[in-house]
Amino acid sequence: MDMDKWWKRSIFYEIYISSFCDSNNDGIGDLRGITSKLGYLKSLGIDGIWLTPYYKSPKVDNGYDIEDYYEINPDYGTMDDFDELLREAHKRNIKIIADLVLNHTSDKHKWFVESKASKDSQKRDWYIWKDKPNNWESFFSGSAWEYDEPTKQYYYHAFAKEQVDLNWSNSQVKKAMLDVVKFWLDKGIDGFRLDVINFLKVNDSFADNPSDENGEQQHIYDKDQAGIIQVIQELRDVVEQYDDRFLVGEVGSDNIETIKEYIGDTCLDAAFNFNLGSIEKFDVKRIFTELKLMEEKLDGQLPTLFFSSHDMPRYISRFGGETMDEERAKCVAVLMLTARGIPFIYYGDEIGMRDYVAESIACMRDIQGVLAYEKAIGNGKSYSEALIIANQRCRDKSRSPMQWDASEYAGFSTAKPWMEVHISRSVINVENQLIDGNSIFNHYKQLISIREKHKSLLYGVYEKLDMQENAIYFVRKYESEEVLVIINFGISELEFSIEKYQGFKFVYSNIRESLDLSKSTIRVMSNESIIMTKEV
Ligand code: GLC
């Protein structure tokens, strides 16, 4: 494996731009806000930032509906602000990767406006038009087809109707998008997070999707289709003309074999595995099984390690609710930052932010939540029932403004933020976390610095990856160094034999300062993680 590639030893930090830091006090986070917090990110120790879409957009899906790939959304600033952010990040040795939505554009994009204008439009074939819809369902809600009265045809949208799927079988579309890719690479962006990349093409047959025994549609013909990998390879060829850029893809699949197909030297560098990242409930055996599977099935390629994102509830709330044991949250961080893979920290997780729940439909911002609400009302549900249903789908949970301090708007802005600040801001905020030596933030920071100092945590393979009771433990080795990590997610203490680990020294525990290594066993407490190393 080529160890020199920066992304192989990097920790990424996902920033949901609207909610991170507002520099001009209009209530919406922006690029200059991020620049002003680079010092904070540097002190945490991250190496790369994943920026959610910053392009011009009507923001029906908060930027995942792009109107112009060459312009910055004025809510987020200007091109100068973008250049400054990139420059300032690079000065601090922080890379930036951009979220790029290739699958669809906004319905306001000039390509679609032209395509829609008439059946004879030169751009008609840039999108997917049909006289009759099939049964394909949108991943958000309802049919994936929208009728256009003037031209009497339906267009295809895998997500909201304002996010129109491009026709990637049209070579002009491909060329136009590769030009976009080159534009941002020329600007110096360090790579891309490719949005829903395995949706890029649909099956030419347009055959109906089958349903499973529960009546749920099986997305057989509208994702992972032939020809997608070739497109990615062409994109890769473009990226290869620039040195050292990184491609990570969002590959929504519950099959690791499918995910694997997208990764490799001529394809994506890495892909998100939601089977691990988005597990609904905390399940140590499931986590362990996924770690093992990724080792077995990814042919040595690096997995990604994450448990939160802008599309799912925060892991702290998901795994433990309001009563989540902070030590357990730290243990999840230990796993993310010491297992083999590329960690992606989601903004706010490092201070223990919790899920936000909208108390009224007026407070709800996410299109998915709003669509679910409308559907429920359409199905005759009452307001309060519909609100509950909507909140289940709503992705606002993990998108509330970053909690910098205890003030009314959490130090995120001096104006009323675009979405409500979480009520916990008075207790859970960066200011408090920095002061408290034992805070989640300070544990993240310490773990990141331990990772940096130990090559086996950056490059080491697993000598062992196993479970004992409800603990996951592993040994990673690189050259003359070995690291042993024991993470006890169990509710009871674990007696762990260290006979095989003679000569290992204590490096870290989230619970104590030192450890007696003179006996043949150690007692690992509930929700305790221990890291030990040895130089051979
Ligand atoms: C990806 C994004 C999500 C967006 C969807 C459609 O899954 O992460 O936020 O809604 O694509 O673009």
Side-chain angles (χ1 to χ4, degrees), residues 338-340 456-462 474-477 482-483:
T338 62
R340 190 177 160 276
S456 45
L457 290 180
L458 295 173
Y459 310 120
V461 291
Y462 289 119
F474 48 82
V475 178
R476 293 182 64 190
K477 184 168 192 275
E482 279 178 87
V483 171

Side-chain angles (χ1 to χ4, degrees), residues 14 16 50 52-53 61-65 99 101 103-104 139-140 158-160 163 193-197 199 250 274 309-311 366-368 395 399:
E14 181 191 351
Y16 197 68
W50 152 19
T52 53
D61 186 13
N62 229 337
Y64 286 90
D65 46 328
D99 214 317
V101 189
N103 180 66
H104 47 267
F139 288 84
F140 280 178
F159 298 91
Q163 296 168 297
R193 177 262 187 192
L194 300 171
D195 190 61
V196 291
I197 197 66
F199 289 58
E250 183 193 20
F274 292 95
S309 82
H310 66 288
D311 288 329
D366 174 31
I367 173 90
Q368 224 180 329
R395 297 169 297 175
R399 298 176 178 181

Side-chain angles (χ1 to χ4, degrees), residues 364-494:
M364 197 171 277
R365 295 288 172 268
D366 174 31
I367 173 90
Q368 224 180 329
V370 173
L371 289 173
Y373 172 79
E374 284 166 2
K375 190 172 167 191
I377 292 288
N379 289 339
K381 301 280 182 212
S382 70
Y383 171 78
S384 47
E385 284 168 336
L387 185 62
I388 293 171
I389 295 169
N391 260 319
Q392 278 158 3
R393 297 282 323 256
C394 184
R395 297 169 297 175
D396 286 346
K397 294 186 188 70
S398 57
R399 298 176 178 181
S400 61
M402 178 72 175
Q403 292 161 208
W404 296 102
D405 62 35
S407 64
E408 186 180 9
Y409 301 136
F412 160 77
S413 178
T414 55
K416 193 170 164 42
W418 72 285
M419 73 172 277
E420 286 188 332
V421 172
H422 197 286
I423 188 152
S424 66
R425 69 177 196 284
S426 53
V427 187
I428 301 174
N429 59 55
V430 172
E431 219 169 70
N432 286 351
Q433 291 270 316
L434 291 179
I435 306 166
D436 173 5
N438 198 26
S439 65
I440 298 190
F441 176 89
N442 278 315
H443 279 269
Y444 265 83
K445 189 171 162 167
Q446 195 185 347
L447 287 162
I448 292 173
S449 113
I450 290 171
R451 188 178 190 266
E452 251 163 34
K453 287 190 198 109
H454 294 90
K455 286 201 166 147
S456 45
L457 290 180
L458 295 173
Y459 310 120
V461 291
Y462 289 119
E463 292 280 288
K464 188 157 191 72
L465 169 60
D466 214 337
M467 275 190 80
Q468 184 183 323
E469 295 171 34
N470 282 311
I472 294 175
Y473 72 97
F474 48 82
V475 178
R476 293 182 64 190
K477 184 168 192 275
Y478 186 75
E479 292 175 346
S480 59
E481 183 197 77
E482 279 178 87
V483 171
L484 165 67
V485 179
I486 312 159
I487 310 171
N488 184 14
F489 288 115
I491 46 167
S492 34
E493 244 179 48
L494 178 84

Side-chain angles (χ1 to χ4, degrees), residues 75-276:
D75 283 348
Y76 299 146
T78 62
M79 196 58 94
D80 283 347
D81 296 340
F82 176 85
D83 291 337
E84 189 194 17
L85 169 58
L86 199 57
R87 208 169 41 239
E88 289 300 318
H90 285 168
K91 257 193 217 163
R92 292 166 176 84
N93 262 328
I94 294 176
K95 308 269 189 187
I96 298 193
I97 63 167
D99 214 317
L100 189 59
V101 189
L102 299 175
N103 180 66
H104 47 267
T105 70
S106 158
D107 61 342
K108 300 285 181 298
H109 195 292
K110 61 178 188 231
W111 299 339
F112 186 67
V113 173
E114 210 182 314
S115 179
K116 198 178 157 173
S118 110
K119 267 180 153 175
D120 307 320
S121 157
Q122 292 214 336
K123 294 226 164 39
R124 189 66 170 180
D125 186 51
W126 280 42
Y127 294 85
I128 301 167
W129 291 95
K130 289 278 168 214
D131 291 332
K132 272 197 187 139
N134 59 13
N135 79 339
W136 294 356
E137 285 173 5
S138 142
F139 288 84
F140 280 178
S141 177
S143 168
W145 298 92
E146 182 72 10
Y147 189 53
D148 178 53
E149 179 59 46
T151 60
K152 309 233 175 317
Q153 279 195 316
Y154 294 80
Y155 69 81
Y156 175 65
H157 59 92
F159 298 91
K161 65 178 192 311
E162 296 86 353
Q163 296 168 297
V164 195
D165 275 53
L166 283 157
N167 174 15
W168 274 83
S169 300
N170 180 314
S171 58
Q172 291 175 341
V173 167
K174 193 163 65 188
K175 178 168 180 315
M177 279 306 196
L178 291 181
D179 285 346
V180 168
V181 166
K182 283 184 217 154
F183 174 82
W184 292 102
L185 290 171
D186 284 337
K187 277 211 154 280
I189 202 85
D190 299 292
F192 298 103
R193 177 262 187 192
L194 300 171
D195 190 61
V196 291
I197 197 66
N198 61 327
F199 289 58
L200 219 53
K201 284 190 165 191
V202 292
N203 196 286
D204 294 341
S205 72
F206 286 89
D208 279 352
N209 276 328
S211 298
D212 67 10
E213 60 276 13
N214 304 318
E216 291 273 321
Q217 181 155 117
Q218 301 295 287
H219 290 276
I220 304 292
Y221 298 114
D222 48 358
K223 58 180 202 140
D224 299 313
Q225 296 302 305
I228 300 180
I229 305 261
Q230 281 91 315
V231 173
I232 298 176
Q233 284 167 342
E234 283 180 56
L235 194 148
R236 177 92 230 178
D237 286 344
V238 171
V239 173
E240 283 300 304
Q241 291 160 22
Y242 299 76
D243 46 69
D244 233 10
R245 312 294 168 104
F246 174 56
L247 287 181
V248 57
E250 183 193 20
V251 180
S253 170
D254 47 19
N255 186 347
I256 187 86
E257 309 270 0
T258 306
I259 296 173
K260 161 76 186 67
E261 285 174 27
Y262 289 87
I263 320 175
D265 289 347
T266 60
C267 220
L268 301 176
D269 293 308
F272 294 115
N273 174 12
F274 292 95
N275 303 325
L276 173 69

